[in-house]
Amino acid sequence: MAIVLAAGQGKRMKSKLYKVLHPVCGKPMVSHVLDAVKEAQSERTVVIVGHGAELVKSRLGDAAEFALQEKQLGTGHAVQQAEALLGQEDGVTIVICGDTPLVQASTLRSMLELHEASGAAATIMSASFDNPAGYGRIIRGEDGTVQRIVEHKDCSAEELLVREINTGTYCFDNRKLFQALSRVTNQNAQGEYYLTDVIGLLKEAGEVVQGYCTEDIAEAIGVNDRVALAEAERHMRERLNRKHLLNGVSIIDPANTYIEASVQIGADTVIYPGTVLRGATVIGEDCVIGPSSELTNAVVHNGATIKYSVVTDSEIGEVSSVGPYAYLRPGSKLGRGCKIGDFVELKNAQLDDGAKVSHLSYVGDAKVGKDVNIGCGAITVNYDGFNKSVTEIGDGAFIGSNVNLIAPVKVGDGAYVVAGTTVTKDVPEGDMAIARERQVNKPGYAEKIRARAKAKKERAGQ
Ligand code: UD1
Ligand code: CA
């Protein structure tokens, strides 16, 4: 069994968002914790919710059972809210805080194993911190055994020097946990019912209590403010980047590459610095991403290249190239071997295999056929101030530079739209469309204009 504490508001975050929902590498802290707990054990898991209960529940979905702590009277009181659901069970219960996002399933499992093998009533995960400020301290007796935990605010001068801290993760004998909790009081510096007092009470009752010290200090980080949040983010980022590196992804500068927890990347893909990969982004093999690109919920197929670009809710086909400086807005879909060049914006545009939009274009609400070439500066005029309309361009069509396609409009297969044309009606398959003023040349006129300008300047100078 497991109990995850997630009812606090997190005042020290100074945020409108409830603490446990703050993301670390794109995923709420409490989801990191819950995932680790679920991976470590397959029994019932209860999340204690309070502040933002509905929002926390909706983010976690049906991954857990929930118990409501109406008033946040402390971590001990929070655990008590699970008594109605778990109080009658025999066995071991993991209790963990929703603000320790770096705890790993493997660590929880070895802690569980130690706990079960030793027959202790409680096992505390501890860590040794150079700067233990803010954390509860583990107080050991002369024989080295854990006696109790003292919260930072309740520490004596001597206790403040203790560097072994309580990570807030424990294994308990379930029955003994709830029995001891009923005896916890709120006589302390914060006037709260501390879960940590259970340790002293169990010890006094002659039970065995032990510490399990984590090697990886990052796992012990409890996020109470944004300083700790940034630190947790850095550790998580390093961990995720390392996972991708070991999976065969090249990351040129991991310290400058930001990959969220949910992102998948295939082997032999190279990620250049300044790249941010977010949400449900999935990248295939042999791609080159970055430098300086931001991909959110993007699907990128094998061998594609994206440089200095922003891609959101879009799909990029095999061996296609995007950028530099392209902007793919939601609903853009490129087939195989497409080219989107510099300063091109796409929105809700589907481009079939081999289509090219090489420079300075806007293509929105459009269906573009195979091997279509859209020239420099050509745009779809998809919005008349009231409605959005669709542009369709058939396979093999050629759209010249600086063409305006006033939607709704269709350009047929193989049609040819001459540069500078404003297309206002459909162009049939195979036709050429031209709509622009005929040019008039006036022989020798350039010299006349210059002479006239010069004379004017001289008159003004007198
Ligand atoms: C707690 C521990 C401290 C430990 C630290 C590790 C206690 C009394 N102290 O302190 O020994 O070193 O974690 O990070 O347990 N919560 C509730 N209901 C409440 C109060 C808190 O659900 O009434 C939840 C919070 O949402 C949070 C977790 O419990 O996820 C821990 O609470 P927090 O206030 O952050 O405790 P710390 O002061 O960090
Ligand atoms: Ca905390």
Side-chain angles (χ1 to χ4, degrees):
M1 291 163 280
I3 300 172
V4 179
L5 307 186
Q9 184 190 11
K11 285 203 190 81
R12 290 165 282 183
M13 296 295 283
K14 309 228 164 96
S15 176
K16 290 177 282 299
L17 184 65
Y18 309 107
K19 179 167 79 175
V20 296
L21 291 181
H22 273 266
V24 171
C25 291
K27 178 163 138 181
M29 284 198 266
V30 66
S31 301
H32 283 287
V33 172
L34 190 58
D35 287 353
V37 165
K38 304 277 285 187
E39 198 186 322
Q41 56 96 50
S42 52
E43 296 169 45
R44 295 174 70 181
T45 300
V46 178
V47 179
I48 311 298
V49 292
H51 276 284
E54 290 314 310
L55 206 56
V56 175
K57 278 158 89 171
S58 73
R59 290 305 297 268
L60 297 179
D62 49 16
E65 298 173 64
F66 296 97
L68 183 67
Q69 183 192 24
E70 268 174 50
K71 280 194 182 141
Q72 285 67 50
L73 304 179
T75 50
H77 178 258
V79 174
Q80 271 181 317
Q81 310 312 305
E83 191 163 6
L85 289 169
L86 302 179
Q88 301 310 309
E89 305 269 354
D90 291 316
V92 179
T93 299
I94 294 176
V95 177
I96 187 165
C97 296
D99 63 355
T100 52
L102 286 132
V103 174
Q104 300 195 77
S106 53
T107 308
L108 292 177
R109 269 198 300 267
S110 35
M111 181 189 186
L112 257 177
E113 277 164 24
L114 173 78
H115 177 83
E116 281 169 346
S118 67
T123 303
I124 306 159
M125 192 187 294
S126 71
S128 184
F129 275 13
D130 288 341
N131 175 13
Y135 290 89
R137 307 296 205 283
I138 308 280
I139 308 299
R140 290 181 181 264
E142 277 169 8
D143 60 352
T145 60
V146 175
Q147 302 297 309
R148 58 202 166 91
I149 298 171
V150 183
E151 287 307 290
H152 181 93
K153 287 185 179 159
D154 299 292
C155 277
S156 65
E158 196 186 340
E159 286 164 341
L160 283 175
L161 299 175
V162 173
R163 297 209 329 223
E164 189 182 5
I165 61 100
N166 167 30
T167 67
T169 302
Y170 325 76
C171 291
F172 289 106
D173 174 282
N174 190 60
R175 298 261 180 189
K176 288 174 184 166
L177 167 65
F178 287 108
Q179 276 159 20
L181 271 176
S182 65
R183 289 163 42 219
V184 168
T185 70
N186 62 355
Q187 305 301 304
N188 52 54
Q190 303 185 78
E192 288 184 0
Y193 295 88
Y194 291 161
L195 171 62
T196 45
D197 284 356
V198 163
I199 301 303
L201 290 168
L202 288 173
K203 191 72 193 175
E204 278 166 28
E207 298 288 351
V208 175
V209 175
Q210 62 184 350
Y212 171 91
C213 197
T214 55
E215 303 278 295
D216 180 2
I217 287 178
E219 290 197 61
I221 294 175
V223 175
N224 293 330
D225 57 28
R226 308 247 188 178
V227 175
L229 183 65
E231 204 185 327
E233 178 89 22
R234 180 172 61 79
H235 284 288
M236 186 67 80
R237 181 160 67 235
E238 283 172 11
R239 188 190 284 174
L240 292 167
N241 286 350
R242 190 179 160 75
K243 178 191 81 179
H244 292 295
L245 290 165
L246 292 172
N247 282 344
V249 177
S250 283
I251 301 176
I252 304 299
D253 183 4
N256 280 303
T257 305
Y258 307 83
I259 304 175
E260 289 188 354
S262 47
V263 171
Q264 298 172 36
I265 310 173
D268 286 321
T269 283
V270 182
I271 315 275
Y272 281 92
T275 294
V276 182
L277 304 177
R278 307 174 56 217
T281 293
V282 179
I283 298 171
E285 298 183 359
D286 304 309
C287 295
V288 179
I289 312 292
S292 300
S293 294
E294 183 188 45
L295 278 60
T296 306
N297 305 325
V299 176
V300 181
H301 294 278
N302 296 347
T305 302
I306 302 174
K307 282 182 190 167
Y308 297 101
S309 292
V310 176
V311 177
T312 306
D313 297 307
S314 291
E315 186 172 341
I316 292 160
E318 275 187 80
V319 300
S320 286
S321 80
V322 172
Y325 312 110
Y327 183 19
L328 271 60
R329 292 167 54 202
S332 300
K333 187 172 180 206
L334 309 184
R336 192 177 197 283
C338 290
K339 179 182 177 196
I340 302 300
D342 53 282
F343 306 103
V344 170
E345 175 177 338
L346 302 185
K347 186 217 68 172
N348 186 30
Q350 291 89 52
L351 276 62
D352 210 332
D353 299 350
K356 291 185 174 53
V357 190
S358 298
H359 348 254
L360 300 156
S361 286
Y362 170 64
V363 179
D365 299 313
K367 283 197 174 60
V368 177
K370 280 195 184 59
D371 299 319
V372 166
N373 192 309
I374 297 186
C376 178
I379 59 166
T380 56
V381 182
N382 64 324
Y383 185 53
D384 59 8
F386 306 98
N387 299 302
K388 299 273 166 69
S389 304
V390 172
T391 301
E392 287 181 50
I393 303 173
D395 293 348
F398 179 89
I399 309 294
S401 290
N402 231 26
V403 163
N404 297 312
L405 295 154
I406 313 279
V409 73
K410 283 185 193 170
V411 176
D413 289 355
Y416 191 101
V417 179
V418 171
T421 294
T422 292
V423 177
T424 51
K425 51 185 198 226
D426 292 355
V427 181
E429 183 179 332
D431 282 9
M432 183 188 93
I434 179 162
R436 61 188 192 202
E437 284 285 291
R438 264 190 198 279
Q439 183 171 328
V440 180
N441 291 341
K442 306 211 168 176
Y445 226 77
E447 200 39 56
K448 271 190 196 167
I449 291 176
R450 286 193 196 101
R452 204 187 288 160
K454 196 175 164 204
K456 194 174 171 189
K457 209 168 160 190
E458 279 166 7
R459 272 200 306 281
Q462 278 165 3

